Amino acid sequence: GLQRRAASENCTLGEQAQKASLSARTKGHQKTPSQNTSRDAGEFSQPTLPVVSNDLPPKQGHGRSKSEGKRRIASLTKHRRGKQRLQRLQRIRRAEFESLPRDQQQALRLAFTSADANNGGSLDVLELPVACKALGLLPRNKSENAIFKSICEEVALLGDVDFYIFWSEAVPRIRSEFGSMRSQRFWQRFVEFDCDGSGYLSKHEVLQAIERLLMPRLDHELLDALRAGVEALFPSVRGLGKGEIDFEHFEKLVVQLEERHQRMAADRELWIITSENLSTEDISNCRHELISLHSSYMGVAAASGETGYQTLNSQQMEHLLSELGLLPRCDDAVGVFLKECGCGDIESFSFKTFMRIIRSRRLREKHSASEDMGVLFAKLDRDSSG
């Protein structure tokens, strides 16, 4: 019995020793939680997928795609609305244009197409002024020319100008500015021919006033056309039950007739330049009086009674120069005058030669006027400050 008890105690002691040894080995190899995570990450090749919460924002790429789509839709919508507005505006302008009198429609289209060099259906910043001048909107001085250029540049600022922008924007703006700048001149002519001070002009007085305004770009043919224009337009601008018009209606009538006259005068000048074989130099300094000079020359030539193309002799030239008030007051005035112009040895004078004489005379007058202004300035500049 003692031996069995001793053997049982030895077995118990051995088991305890093994447990103690196993416990010690376990403590030596135990790792912290972070070390276990590192070991696991090194041992497994596949990464652990993160858990996405519903509260987190969507992926960046997906959000950018949706934002770009919204911007594109907004841009297309804006473009479509702008296109619709433009189409409505074009329909309105087309309807307004078609309501104009037929002759005004033809004049506008002719002016536009004559300036459209490449037949592209639009005008650039250089062609737009040409079209406006072809319509009869011609600046008369530096101030008007500056306004004219400014408006043309503003209208063409966003690109080429189509026909409806030309007639609905450029033309009305230039007309309005020219009307404001010329109103004083119109009023002076109105008062001049309003002899009884009634504030109204008769048809005859209107014609006289307009003739004075449009000189010297008139000859017999243009004068006849002007009279026909007054006859046609006067009934539409006169007061109800009256045979006279006030200044407001007179101004409207002058604007319409002036544009029509300028178009006809431009055609007339072109015909004279072509038929008489004139160069740019021949008409320099006297382009504005080309029509009246040609009319006077042809009148003297026709007075001879001969048919066909005419040249003037010295006696006829003397008569013409005297009629124009160009001869000096001296003996052999015509001889002196022609020598001063470099034409003293010429016996037969064509219209081209006559224009050369006029150009020489105008240059001398300009030089003389400049000298007189210099003398006057020096006299007034008492302290010589310049």
Side-chain angles (χ1 to χ4, degrees):
L2 291 174
Q3 291 179 351
R4 284 195 301 268
R5 187 185 302 166
S8 177
E9 290 176 358
N10 289 336
C11 181
T12 301
L13 291 173
E15 289 177 357
Q16 291 177 351
Q18 288 178 358
K19 289 180 180 180
S21 176
L22 179 60
S23 177
R25 286 198 304 268
T26 303
K27 286 183 179 181
H29 294 283
Q30 192 173 9
K31 302 290 184 180
T32 63
S34 60
Q35 289 174 329
N36 289 335
T37 304
S38 301
R39 181 178 61 84
D40 293 342
E43 290 177 353
F44 298 102
S45 59
Q46 296 181 352
T48 304
L49 295 177
V51 179
V52 179
S53 172
N54 293 332
D55 297 332
L56 294 177
K59 293 184 179 180
Q60 186 176 1
H62 181 64
R64 183 169 59 250
S65 177
K66 290 182 65 177
S67 177
E68 289 178 354
K70 290 180 179 179
R71 284 198 297 269
R72 186 176 181 184
I73 292 173
S75 177
L76 291 174
T77 303
K78 183 178 180 181
H79 176 72
R80 184 180 297 111
R81 289 176 178 172
K83 189 175 181 180
Q84 291 173 348
R85 285 195 297 268
L86 180 60
Q87 290 174 347
R88 286 196 299 269
L89 181 60
Q90 288 177 341
R91 286 195 295 269
I92 293 172
R93 287 174 172 172
R94 187 178 296 109
E96 292 176 349
F97 175 77
E98 292 175 352
S99 67
L100 296 175
R102 184 65 59 182
D103 59 335
Q104 293 187 30
Q105 294 184 31
Q106 293 176 349
L108 287 164
R109 289 194 181 280
L110 181 60
F112 184 87
T113 54
S114 65
D116 186 10
N118 61 354
N119 296 323
S122 61
L123 305 177
D124 59 25
V125 69
L126 298 179
E127 294 171 334
L128 181 58
V130 177
C132 294
K133 290 180 180 179
L135 186 62
L137 297 172
L138 298 175
R140 293 180 174 270
N141 49 51
K142 291 183 178 180
S143 298
E144 289 186 4
N145 192 52
I147 291 293
F148 180 80
K149 288 184 177 180
S150 176
I151 293 175
C152 289
E153 290 173 356
E154 289 176 7
V155 173
L157 184 63
L158 298 179
D160 292 347
V161 177
D162 64 19
F163 175 72
Y164 291 102
I165 294 178
F166 162 69
W167 85 264
S168 65
E169 185 172 348
V171 171
R173 287 183 61 184
I174 295 175
R175 279 176 177 167
S176 176
E177 290 293 338
F178 281 2
S180 299
M181 300 177 76
R182 297 172 182 177
S183 181
Q184 183 63 31
R185 185 167 61 93
F186 294 162
W187 173 251
Q188 290 175 353
R189 291 289 176 257
F190 184 88
V191 172
E192 179 183 349
F193 290 94
D194 183 19
C195 301
D196 57 358
S198 63
Y200 290 89
L201 295 183
S202 65
K203 186 191 300 182
H204 178 68
E205 291 171 335
V206 167
L207 181 58
Q208 288 181 316
I210 294 177
E211 285 180 14
R212 185 70 62 85
L213 283 168
L214 299 182
M215 290 293 286
R217 299 187 77 193
L218 282 173
D219 59 8
H220 294 297
E221 293 183 11
L222 293 177
L223 184 57
D224 291 342
L226 178 63
R227 289 170 177 167
V230 172
E231 290 287 344
L233 295 176
F234 189 83
S236 64
V237 296
R238 69 181 181 180
L240 294 176
K242 296 183 178 180
E244 299 177 325
I245 60 174
D246 58 11
F247 175 71
E248 180 182 356
H249 293 89
F250 170 77
E251 192 173 19
K252 292 180 180 178
L253 180 62
V254 170
V255 169
Q256 294 183 55
L257 291 174
E258 188 175 32
E259 287 186 19
R260 180 184 299 182
H261 169 74
Q262 296 290 8
R263 294 194 296 270
M264 298 176 63
D267 294 338
R268 186 69 172 167
E269 288 176 350
L270 182 60
W271 178 83
I272 294 173
I273 292 171
T274 304
S275 61
E276 300 292 348
N277 194 26
L278 301 178
S279 65
T280 304
E281 184 180 5
D282 291 332
I283 61 176
S284 61
N285 298 308
C286 51
R287 174 69 181 263
H288 64 286
E289 52 183 344
L290 176 62
I291 294 175
S292 61
L293 289 172
H294 187 265
S295 178
S296 299
Y297 179 91
M298 297 306 294
V300 174
S304 65
E306 299 181 10
T307 59
Y309 181 77
Q310 294 292 314
T311 59
L312 304 184
N313 56 35
S314 297
Q315 185 178 359
Q316 290 172 319
M317 180 57 65
E318 181 178 4
H319 175 74
L320 176 58
L321 295 174
S322 177
E323 183 181 276
L324 296 174
L326 297 176
L327 290 181
R329 296 179 179 178
C330 63
D331 295 336
D332 190 23
V334 66
V336 173
F337 180 82
L338 293 177
K339 285 181 180 178
E340 289 178 350
C341 297
C343 300
D345 299 331
I346 298 177
E347 297 182 356
S348 181
F349 300 87
S350 65
F351 181 72
K352 187 179 180 73
T353 305
F354 171 63
M355 287 300 297
R356 190 173 71 180
I357 294 172
I358 296 298
R359 182 169 61 87
S360 176
R361 179 65 177 176
R362 294 293 182 251
L363 287 174
R364 290 175 64 85
E365 290 174 349
K366 185 177 181 180
H367 181 69
S368 177
S370 179
E371 289 182 344
D372 292 342
M373 290 296 294
V375 172
L376 178 61
F377 183 86
K379 185 182 294 186
L380 297 174
D381 184 20
R382 297 179 180 180
D383 58 355
S384 301
S385 62

PDB file of all heavy atoms in Angstrom, residues 219-234:
ATOM      1  N   ASP A 219     -27.419 118.147-109.865  1.00  0.00           N
ATOM      2  CA  ASP A 219     -27.472 118.585-111.256  1.00  0.00           C
ATOM      3  C   ASP A 219     -28.934 118.507-111.689  1.00  0.00           C
ATOM      4  O   ASP A 219     -29.831 118.304-110.850  1.00  0.00           O
ATOM      5  CB  ASP A 219     -26.547 117.748-112.148  1.00  0.00           C
ATOM      6  CG  ASP A 219     -26.887 116.273-112.124  1.00  0.00           C
ATOM      7  OD1 ASP A 219     -27.935 115.894-111.546  1.00  0.00           O
ATOM      8  OD2 ASP A 219     -26.098 115.472-112.660  1.00  0.00           O
ATOM      9  N   HIS A 220     -29.194 118.698-112.961  1.00  0.00           N
ATOM     10  CA  HIS A 220     -30.584 118.747-113.404  1.00  0.00           C
ATOM     11  C   HIS A 220     -31.306 117.429-113.149  1.00  0.00           C
ATOM     12  O   HIS A 220     -32.466 117.416-112.706  1.00  0.00           O
ATOM     13  CB  HIS A 220     -30.624 119.103-114.896  1.00  0.00           C
ATOM     14  CG  HIS A 220     -30.125 120.489-115.188  1.00  0.00           C
ATOM     15  ND1 HIS A 220     -30.757 121.617-114.700  1.00  0.00           N
ATOM     16  CD2 HIS A 220     -29.053 120.929-115.902  1.00  0.00           C
ATOM     17  CE1 HIS A 220     -30.102 122.692-115.093  1.00  0.00           C
ATOM     18  NE2 HIS A 220     -29.067 122.308-115.830  1.00  0.00           N
ATOM     19  N   GLU A 221     -30.646 116.319-113.394  1.00  0.00           N
ATOM     20  CA  GLU A 221     -31.282 115.019-113.195  1.00  0.00           C
ATOM     21  C   GLU A 221     -31.567 114.758-111.725  1.00  0.00           C
ATOM     22  O   GLU A 221     -32.649 114.294-111.346  1.00  0.00           O
ATOM     23  CB  GLU A 221     -30.403 113.907-113.770  1.00  0.00           C
ATOM     24  CG  GLU A 221     -30.276 113.937-115.288  1.00  0.00           C
ATOM     25  CD  GLU A 221     -29.455 112.775-115.807  1.00  0.00           C
ATOM     26  OE1 GLU A 221     -29.163 111.853-115.013  1.00  0.00           O
ATOM     27  OE2 GLU A 221     -29.096 112.784-117.003  1.00  0.00           O
ATOM     28  N   LEU A 222     -30.592 115.054-110.872  1.00  0.00           N
ATOM     29  CA  LEU A 222     -30.783 114.840-109.435  1.00  0.00           C
ATOM     30  C   LEU A 222     -31.816 115.805-108.868  1.00  0.00           C
ATOM     31  O   LEU A 222     -32.561 115.458-107.938  1.00  0.00           O
ATOM     32  CB  LEU A 222     -29.449 114.994-108.700  1.00  0.00           C
ATOM     33  CG  LEU A 222     -28.404 113.918-108.996  1.00  0.00           C
ATOM     34  CD1 LEU A 222     -27.104 114.236-108.265  1.00  0.00           C
ATOM     35  CD2 LEU A 222     -28.908 112.544-108.590  1.00  0.00           C
ATOM     36  N   LEU A 223     -31.859 117.018-109.415  1.00  0.00           N
ATOM     37  CA  LEU A 223     -32.852 117.982-108.951  1.00  0.00           C
ATOM     38  C   LEU A 223     -34.261 117.512-109.305  1.00  0.00           C
ATOM     39  O   LEU A 223     -35.195 117.626-108.488  1.00  0.00           O
ATOM     40  CB  LEU A 223     -32.580 119.350-109.564  1.00  0.00           C
ATOM     41  CG  LEU A 223     -33.475 120.507-109.107  1.00  0.00           C
ATOM     42  CD1 LEU A 223     -33.407 120.670-107.593  1.00  0.00           C
ATOM     43  CD2 LEU A 223     -33.092 121.797-109.812  1.00  0.00           C
ATOM     44  N   ASP A 224     -34.427 116.977-110.496  1.00  0.00           N
ATOM     45  CA  ASP A 224     -35.731 116.435-110.887  1.00  0.00           C
ATOM     46  C   ASP A 224     -36.133 115.273-109.976  1.00  0.00           C
ATOM     47  O   ASP A 224     -37.300 115.157-109.578  1.00  0.00           O
ATOM     48  CB  ASP A 224     -35.691 115.964-112.339  1.00  0.00           C
ATOM     49  CG  ASP A 224     -35.580 117.125-113.322  1.00  0.00           C
ATOM     50  OD1 ASP A 224     -35.881 118.269-112.919  1.00  0.00           O
ATOM     51  OD2 ASP A 224     -35.158 116.892-114.478  1.00  0.00           O
ATOM     52  N   ALA A 225     -35.152 114.407-109.644  1.00  0.00           N
ATOM     53  CA  ALA A 225     -35.442 113.280-108.746  1.00  0.00           C
ATOM     54  C   ALA A 225     -35.795 113.774-107.353  1.00  0.00           C
ATOM     55  O   ALA A 225     -36.675 113.207-106.679  1.00  0.00           O
ATOM     56  CB  ALA A 225     -34.231 112.346-108.687  1.00  0.00           C
ATOM     57  N   LEU A 226     -35.143 114.854-106.912  1.00  0.00           N
ATOM     58  CA  LEU A 226     -35.428 115.416-105.594  1.00  0.00           C
ATOM     59  C   LEU A 226     -36.851 115.972-105.545  1.00  0.00           C
ATOM     60  O   LEU A 226     -37.586 115.760-104.568  1.00  0.00           O
ATOM     61  CB  LEU A 226     -34.416 116.508-105.271  1.00  0.00           C
ATOM     62  CG  LEU A 226     -34.594 117.233-103.933  1.00  0.00           C
ATOM     63  CD1 LEU A 226     -34.420 116.259-102.776  1.00  0.00           C
ATOM     64  CD2 LEU A 226     -33.587 118.382-103.820  1.00  0.00           C
ATOM     65  N   ARG A 227     -37.233 116.669-106.577  1.00  0.00           N
ATOM     66  CA  ARG A 227     -38.583 117.216-106.628  1.00  0.00           C
ATOM     67  C   ARG A 227     -39.628 116.104-106.626  1.00  0.00           C
ATOM     68  O   ARG A 227     -40.672 116.216-105.967  1.00  0.00           O
ATOM     69  CB  ARG A 227     -38.730 118.089-107.873  1.00  0.00           C
ATOM     70  CG  ARG A 227     -37.945 119.405-107.791  1.00  0.00           C
ATOM     71  CD  ARG A 227     -37.917 120.124-109.117  1.00  0.00           C
ATOM     72  NE  ARG A 227     -37.215 121.407-109.000  1.00  0.00           N
ATOM     73  CZ  ARG A 227     -36.816 122.131-110.042  1.00  0.00           C
ATOM     74  NH1 ARG A 227     -37.058 121.695-111.286  1.00  0.00           N
ATOM     75  NH2 ARG A 227     -36.191 123.277-109.859  1.00  0.00           N
ATOM     76  N   ALA A 228     -39.347 115.042-107.372  1.00  0.00           N
ATOM     77  CA  ALA A 228     -40.274 113.904-107.391  1.00  0.00           C
ATOM     78  C   ALA A 228     -40.375 113.270-106.005  1.00  0.00           C
ATOM     79  O   ALA A 228     -41.462 112.838-105.578  1.00  0.00           O
ATOM     80  CB  ALA A 228     -39.801 112.875-108.414  1.00  0.00           C
ATOM     81  N   GLY A 229     -39.243 113.214-105.287  1.00  0.00           N
ATOM     82  CA  GLY A 229     -39.255 112.661-103.932  1.00  0.00           C
ATOM     83  C   GLY A 229     -40.082 113.503-102.984  1.00  0.00           C
ATOM     84  O   GLY A 229     -40.833 112.966-102.133  1.00  0.00           O
ATOM     85  N   VAL A 230     -39.986 114.838-103.090  1.00  0.00           N
ATOM     86  CA  VAL A 230     -40.786 115.721-102.246  1.00  0.00           C
ATOM     87  C   VAL A 230     -42.276 115.537-102.543  1.00  0.00           C
ATOM     88  O   VAL A 230     -43.109 115.461-101.626  1.00  0.00           O
ATOM     89  CB  VAL A 230     -40.371 117.190-102.463  1.00  0.00           C
ATOM     90  CG1 VAL A 230     -41.326 118.129-101.731  1.00  0.00           C
ATOM     91  CG2 VAL A 230     -38.949 117.417-101.962  1.00  0.00           C
ATOM     92  N   GLU A 231     -42.596 115.441-103.820  1.00  0.00           N
ATOM     93  CA  GLU A 231     -43.993 115.239-104.204  1.00  0.00           C
ATOM     94  C   GLU A 231     -44.543 113.928-103.632  1.00  0.00           C
ATOM     95  O   GLU A 231     -45.694 113.852-103.196  1.00  0.00           O
ATOM     96  CB  GLU A 231     -44.118 115.222-105.736  1.00  0.00           C
ATOM     97  CG  GLU A 231     -43.892 116.570-106.398  1.00  0.00           C
ATOM     98  CD  GLU A 231     -45.046 117.529-106.174  1.00  0.00           C
ATOM     99  OE1 GLU A 231     -46.135 117.067-105.771  1.00  0.00           O
ATOM    100  OE2 GLU A 231     -44.866 118.736-106.381  1.00  0.00           O
ATOM    101  N   ALA A 232     -43.705 112.894-103.613  1.00  0.00           N
ATOM    102  CA  ALA A 232     -44.164 111.577-103.155  1.00  0.00           C
ATOM    103  C   ALA A 232     -44.285 111.499-101.638  1.00  0.00           C
ATOM    104  O   ALA A 232     -45.209 110.867-101.109  1.00  0.00           O
ATOM    105  CB  ALA A 232     -43.209 110.501-103.661  1.00  0.00           C
ATOM    106  N   LEU A 233     -43.367 112.116-100.918  1.00  0.00           N
ATOM    107  CA  LEU A 233     -43.320 111.961 -99.462  1.00  0.00           C
ATOM    108  C   LEU A 233     -44.054 113.064 -98.705  1.00  0.00           C
ATOM    109  O   LEU A 233     -44.408 112.871 -97.537  1.00  0.00           O
ATOM    110  CB  LEU A 233     -41.857 111.925 -98.997  1.00  0.00           C
ATOM    111  CG  LEU A 233     -41.020 110.745 -99.479  1.00  0.00           C
ATOM    112  CD1 LEU A 233     -39.572 110.891 -99.020  1.00  0.00           C
ATOM    113  CD2 LEU A 233     -41.593 109.430 -98.968  1.00  0.00           C
ATOM    114  N   PHE A 234     -44.262 114.197 -99.320  1.00  0.00           N
ATOM    115  CA  PHE A 234     -44.869 115.324 -98.604  1.00  0.00           C
ATOM    116  C   PHE A 234     -46.245 114.994 -98.028  1.00  0.00           C
ATOM    117  O   PHE A 234     -46.533 115.338 -96.872  1.00  0.00           O
ATOM    118  CB  PHE A 234     -44.952 116.538 -99.531  1.00  0.00           C
ATOM    119  CG  PHE A 234     -45.355 117.805 -98.841  1.00  0.00           C
ATOM    120  CD1 PHE A 234     -44.412 118.567 -98.169  1.00  0.00           C
ATOM    121  CD2 PHE A 234     -46.679 118.227 -98.830  1.00  0.00           C
ATOM    122  CE1 PHE A 234     -44.773 119.734 -97.519  1.00  0.00           C
ATOM    123  CE2 PHE A 234     -47.053 119.385 -98.180  1.00  0.00           C
ATOM    124  CZ  PHE A 234     -46.100 120.143 -97.524  1.00  0.00           C
TER     125      PHE A 234
END
